[in-house]
Amino acid sequence: MSSGSIEERFPALATSPPALAWLRMRADLGLAPRTLDAYARGLSEYLTFCTECAVEPVEAGRDHIARFVRHLTERPSQRPTPGDPVPSPARLANATVQQRLTAVRLFYEYLVEEGLRMVSPVGRGRRATVGRPGGGKRGLVPRQSRLPWIPDDQDWSAVLAAAAREPIRNRTMLAFAYDAGLRREELCSLRTDDIDPARRLLRVRAETTKSRRERVVPYSAPSGELLRAYLAHRGELSHARGPLFLSESRRNPAAPLTPWTWSKVVRRIALAAGVPRFATHTLRHLCLTDLARAGWEIHAIATFAGHRSPETTMLYIHLSGRDLAAKLASGMAHIHDRRVALLAAAGLMATP
């Protein structure tokens, strides 16, 4: 999370002591900063909604939850950014809606455990889902599963052309984000002692990862050349060991570069390239998809990416089209051989 207390970043939380107590408890239990930030954001929106509805969150009923669901599914995803030529999507993404509702559901489960409510107004799903073994349960909002977007060759070339005009730090970060398939927080959390230039390896520390799993991944020779040039430049800012990528702003010179600053850098590159869908996580998606296209096995990609579940890794196998292409090629070859055999049996392919 960024600097500043939760209350300062999300003022609506200050109106609900139980909400603050729950979030602080989750933080004390070691919840990942990014997840904590998402919970705080979702719960803040819900508390604001309750204020607009003139209802105390502790006393809200299922009807209020239903209205909040409607609010989430119908409201615009964000306000237009001044000077941004790309209009924002009309509605919140399904994954964002699910994330907001998860925060609210966990908050009410906490209230029940603390004896502040008898039952939670947010269920995990009560309606049977057709086609699922045992009947299954569906949540308040049907969950959609979409493959991540990755740039085509033309988009990628445009991004690289725009990135070539960036300072050495930004070019190095872009190369490492793709080369090692790093998440935004993992990239910005790299330290000078995480790098092994002799073997071209970098260590992604457990505390910086989403899965809390440490891993060691390689990077390419071109990325190594960029790193060498950046380290020479970094020496002009600071000779101290510590965070690898440093801020060069007048306000925070030599301070660790934050994930939010990196997001702004990538957004600037995306707009300059004319590829507005390009974002920080796109680099990771593209890397893992390319590994799947190159024939890497699922367990190898999962280890490289630090995935807990093979199901997550399968997204990139599907996105690469590798399995489907192999099956199509195999099937077409079988059909082709059969048809050739039939033609030969009919005498249509006899040698003249």
Side-chain angles (χ1 to χ4, degrees):
M1 296 176 67
S2 63
S3 59
S5 66
I6 294 178
E7 303 97 309
E8 291 173 342
R9 300 187 55 237
F10 304 103
L13 296 175
T15 65
S16 175
L20 281 176
W22 174 66
L23 287 169
R24 286 169 177 159
M25 181 189 71
R26 301 296 299 224
D28 292 340
L29 291 174
L31 191 68
R34 185 176 178 181
T35 305
L36 186 66
D37 182 82
Y39 284 175
R41 189 179 305 277
L43 195 52
S44 175
E45 181 168 357
Y46 176 67
L47 295 176
T48 300
F49 173 82
C50 288
T51 299
E52 294 172 352
C53 293
V55 61
E56 287 292 328
V58 176
E59 300 174 359
R62 292 181 181 174
D63 56 328
H64 297 102
I65 298 298
R67 289 162 61 186
F68 182 60
V69 169
R70 182 174 181 177
H71 161 77
L72 290 175
T73 55
E74 293 185 354
R75 79 165 178 82
S77 64
Q78 62 184 20
R79 296 177 180 177
T81 302
D84 191 342
V86 182
S88 61
R91 297 287 182 263
L92 285 179
N94 180 264
T96 303
V97 173
Q98 299 288 350
Q99 190 180 68
R100 298 284 196 273
L101 293 176
T102 296
V104 175
R105 174 176 58 79
L106 293 175
F107 170 60
Y108 276 111
E109 289 179 359
Y110 165 78
L111 295 182
V112 172
E113 292 172 356
E114 293 296 307
L116 298 177
R117 282 187 66 109
M118 293 297 294
V119 295
S120 169
V122 187
R124 289 179 177 267
R126 299 179 180 82
R127 292 177 291 174
T129 302
V130 178
R132 292 186 60 183
K137 295 294 181 181
R138 187 176 73 178
L140 295 173
V141 177
R143 187 176 295 275
Q144 300 173 2
S145 180
R146 297 183 179 181
L147 293 175
W149 175 83
I150 60 171
D152 58 24
D153 290 344
Q154 182 177 354
D155 289 338
W156 182 235
S157 296
V159 168
L160 293 180
R165 300 188 289 270
E166 290 290 316
I168 184 62
R169 183 201 66 192
N170 298 346
R171 284 183 280 140
T172 304
M173 293 182 71
L174 194 79
F176 268 69
Y178 169 77
D179 236 5
L182 299 178
R183 300 179 178 94
R184 181 183 66 166
E185 286 76 11
E186 295 170 348
L187 177 67
C188 294
S189 298
L190 285 177
R191 298 176 58 85
T192 53
D193 53 357
D194 291 331
I195 308 295
D196 182 355
R199 297 177 179 83
R200 290 209 306 268
L201 296 174
L202 63 87
R203 179 171 65 103
V204 185
R205 286 169 286 115
E207 62 270 22
T208 69
T209 69
K210 184 178 180 180
S211 62
R212 291 297 188 262
R213 291 184 172 186
E214 183 169 296
R215 64 187 192 276
V216 176
V217 294
Y219 59 88
S220 66
S223 293
E225 292 300 320
L226 283 170
L227 176 63
R228 186 176 295 107
Y230 169 67
L231 289 176
H233 173 72
R234 183 186 182 278
E236 300 174 3
L237 300 172
S238 172
H239 293 289
R241 299 177 67 85
L244 177 61
F245 298 113
L246 303 180
S247 170
E248 299 182 24
S249 69
R250 294 181 179 179
R251 179 180 299 180
N252 300 305
L257 190 75
T258 68
W260 290 269
T261 299
W262 174 235
S263 291
K264 292 178 181 179
V265 169
V266 173
R267 182 61 176 168
R268 183 178 69 241
I269 294 173
L271 293 179
V275 188
R277 297 183 69 182
F278 189 85
T280 55
H281 215 60
T282 305
L283 293 158
R284 177 173 166 86
H285 290 324
L286 182 59
C287 171
L288 301 183
T289 302
D290 285 346
L291 294 181
R293 287 169 173 166
W296 280 39
E297 296 302 323
I298 293 176
H299 73 277
I301 300 177
T303 300
F304 183 90
H307 287 156
R308 282 185 178 274
S309 170
E311 293 182 3
T312 303
T313 310
M314 280 302 299
L315 287 175
Y316 303 98
I317 302 294
H318 293 323
L319 186 59
S320 71
R322 189 186 72 192
D323 289 354
L324 294 178
K327 290 179 180 179
L328 177 63
S330 175
M332 289 302 293
H334 175 73
I335 293 172
H336 176 74
D337 291 345
R338 180 171 176 271
R339 293 197 186 280
V340 168
L342 290 174
L343 288 170
L348 297 179
M349 297 185 65
T351 303

